[in-house]
Amino acid sequence: RPLGEKVYWTSPGVVTNNKTSVDACLMYDYDYASTTLSIEVAQSPVTGCSRWDYDRGVYPQTVVSEFNLVCGGDKWRSISQSVYMFGVMVGAVGSGVLSDRLGRKKVTLAASFGIFVFGIGWPFLLAWRCSPS
């Protein structure tokens, strides 16, 4: 190996347009305690990552780190944003129409009750989602 060449010990390098980058969703399936030679590691089979280590320097916990919305789970981030924005749209239009028909006080109390119920239910959802099967 030429001096100064990067060695990828954990994730395989992917070459695109003559530039090498690391695929953070893959890792070598290798027992690192058995050798220190990078050639043996590079010839090992590749497997998907099973857990991630997040940088918690700025934010101790985010939605991405809480639900592991990386690699294969990345699609859930887009879906959740779309569902959230759809709910905002329906809530804005629906609360205006309901306020005209039922009155602002009743609609505001119903919305506050909904926020309370879902706020209390959120930790139970997390416990169910993260519990071992």
Side-chain angles (χ1 to χ4, degrees):
R1 234 175 239 280
L3 188 61
E5 182 178 340
K6 280 190 171 181
V7 177
Y8 300 104
W9 284 95
T10 56
S11 297
V14 179
V15 179
T16 308
N17 297 332
N18 290 335
K19 289 189 174 186
T20 305
S21 61
V22 176
D23 188 347
C25 296
L26 298 174
M27 64 183 224
Y28 291 115
D29 189 14
Y30 189 77
D31 179 21
Y32 291 96
S34 64
T35 189
T36 58
L37 298 175
S38 62
I39 290 181
E40 290 181 20
V41 174
Q43 294 171 350
S44 300
V46 176
T47 185
C49 294
S50 58
R51 54 179 277 228
W52 294 266
D53 186 22
Y54 298 99
D55 178 15
R56 300 189 190 276
V58 178
Y59 300 108
Q61 184 126 1
T62 64
V63 173
V64 173
S65 66
E66 192 168 335
F67 291 108
N68 284 328
L69 299 178
V70 293
C71 298
D74 191 37
K75 65 180 178 239
W76 292 108
R77 186 174 11 173
S78 299
I79 290 171
S80 67
Q81 288 174 346
S82 298
V83 168
Y84 175 78
M85 291 309 293
F86 180 75
V88 168
M89 181 184 71
V90 169
V93 173
S95 65
V97 171
L98 287 175
S99 293
D100 289 343
R101 292 187 182 184
L102 303 175
R104 287 182 289 171
K105 187 175 181 180
K106 290 179 184 177
V107 172
T108 302
L109 286 174
S112 298
F113 179 73
I115 290 170
F116 175 76
V117 168
F118 286 107
I120 296 295
W122 181 253
F124 296 107
L125 173 67
L126 293 179
W128 173 74
R129 165 73 165 81
C130 297
S131 65
S133 300

